[in-house]
Amino acid sequence: MKITPHGAAREVTGSCYRLESAQTRILVDCGMHQGSAYNDARNYRPFGFDPSTIDAVIITHTHLDHIGRLPKLIREGFRGPIYLTKPTKDLARILLEDAYGIMKEDFEREYRPMLYELEDVEACMELMEGKSYSRWKRIGDLKFRFRDAGHIFGSAFVELEDDAGKHVVFSGDLGNVDTPILRPTAQMAAADAVFIETTYGNRIHEDHKERMEVFRSVILETIKQRGVLLIPAFAVERTQDLLYHMNRMVEDEGLEPVDTYIDSPMAIRVTDVMKRYPEYYDKAALARVMRGDDFFDFPGLRLTKTRNESMLINDAPYPKIIFAGSGMMTGGRIQHHLVRYLGKRNTIVFIVGYQASGTLGRKIYEGQKVVKVLREMVPVKAKIVSMGSFSAHADQTKLLNWLRGAATLPKHVYCVHGEAEASAAFATRVKDELKIQADVPRNEETITV
Ligand SMILES: [Zn+2]
């Protein structure tokens, strides 16, 4: 088999791996480049292969950096099936439509060209086939199956085998430990080659207890100073995780209810999808559902779908907690809240996810004193608190343990989906600790397995 990354090698976004066997050509993921303006521009460039020659696409999960170029792929001639898990299919529509909405705003504001139209999203949806975990599916001389990655709802890693007997695993994104609602990451079988994400390949997260304490403390501080807690949340998973924890704090642990706004139509839609698939929940979440506790509903929680409802949050009394997207603060309603509250000392911005280089979120995370939001220069007077362990990604320890837990140790590890230093640091650990060959490939470099 020959495998060529067309994105997410020595960088975090734009996942897209082309795999060629004797008879079959497929893609694993077809994601968007995200982050800086340079990355946005890359989405408009040709793929580096002819989309009409691809037989099928396998999608690991619904984050835009894994699905965002699918409509473009179809626009440029792809007509084969797109395989993904059933929740991923439902979520993909929400994410692609939302990305379209943001693109359209950019187009109207700055005349930035559109990457695709809504009809391309429809065409995508028609080609998508929802699959269950663990069942093998044949494509030409290949077969593959999805395994639970524990990263976000419906996420998977992919085990793939060709008729010559070579095994390749694509990790997709692997989940953090102890993520509420999700089941833990499954163990992989033996593999000749593993393409593993290394977003946090050089970092170790704070432990679970500590992250709950930090979350509780930012809520308590917000109540005390009658301020605003702004949570720029990824609409998929992070928002629902935090709601799950808040539900527990308010209903089981006696936390004083605070007005909490889910100011994200997308997060509200995603939550609805999650409610449809209780069979994907872990034991604890399932037990809560069985005893009638809706963990997406507790005193103080308000869902603001429309623009008008969203504007009313401005006049709502303090203290208040506002969840809004986008997670890296590059667009969406969070920007309006940042303009209003970032310059106030009784605001806390709670950063709970990865902030790609070049994004507004990264600038705030790195402590810039003045940032440009919606064409305004806004001073940063708010307190910035960040928690890596709320990230949906595995840290270095978990990544190593996942490789170690394989049925037999993989023969070769390729570190992808990480900034160059993170991938390189992880490759070194793999070589030192597991005595496995490990490399950090480049985009457009072909690897033969
Ligand atoms: Zn992801």
Side-chain angles (χ1 to χ4, degrees), residues 266-296:
M266 179 159 65
I268 297 167
R269 288 177 75 190
V270 168
T271 305
D272 286 339
V273 171
M274 291 174 73
K275 286 181 177 177
R276 283 209 288 278
Y277 292 98
E279 68 271 29
Y280 281 74
Y281 295 0
D282 70 353
K283 281 191 202 127
L286 203 56
R288 274 186 181 270
V289 171
M290 299 303 266
R291 65 171 192 264
D293 178 13
D294 178 350
F295 40 74
F296 297 129

Side-chain angles (χ1 to χ4, degrees), residues 61 63 65-66 151-152 173 393 417:
H61 67 288
H63 278 146
D65 64 320
H66 295 258
H151 166 58
I152 60 167
D173 291 357
H393 289 273
H417 196 293

Side-chain angles (χ1 to χ4, degrees), residues 247-316:
N247 175 71
R248 214 194 49 230
M249 287 184 217
V250 172
E251 292 190 348
D252 301 358
E253 296 166 12
L255 178 81
E256 173 188 338
V258 195
D259 286 340
T260 301
Y261 299 89
I262 307 302
D263 192 25
S264 162
M266 179 159 65
I268 297 167
R269 288 177 75 190
V270 168
T271 305
D272 286 339
V273 171
M274 291 174 73
K275 286 181 177 177
R276 283 209 288 278
Y277 292 98
E279 68 271 29
Y280 281 74
Y281 295 0
D282 70 353
K283 281 191 202 127
L286 203 56
R288 274 186 181 270
V289 171
M290 299 303 266
R291 65 171 192 264
D293 178 13
D294 178 350
F295 40 74
F296 297 129
D297 186 20
F298 51 85
L301 184 68
R302 284 149 217 263
L303 310 180
T304 49
K305 267 191 189 161
T306 66
R307 209 171 279 240
N308 257 347
E309 286 170 322
S310 172
M311 309 237 284
L312 291 175
I313 300 174
N314 296 341
D315 305 319

Side-chain angles (χ1 to χ4, degrees), residues 381-401:
K381 300 235 170 74
K383 179 171 167 183
I384 313 300
V385 180
S386 77
M387 275 308 278
S389 62
F390 272 117
S391 163
H393 289 273
D395 66 359
Q396 187 187 69
T397 311
K398 161 121 188 222
L399 292 172
L400 278 171
N401 284 340

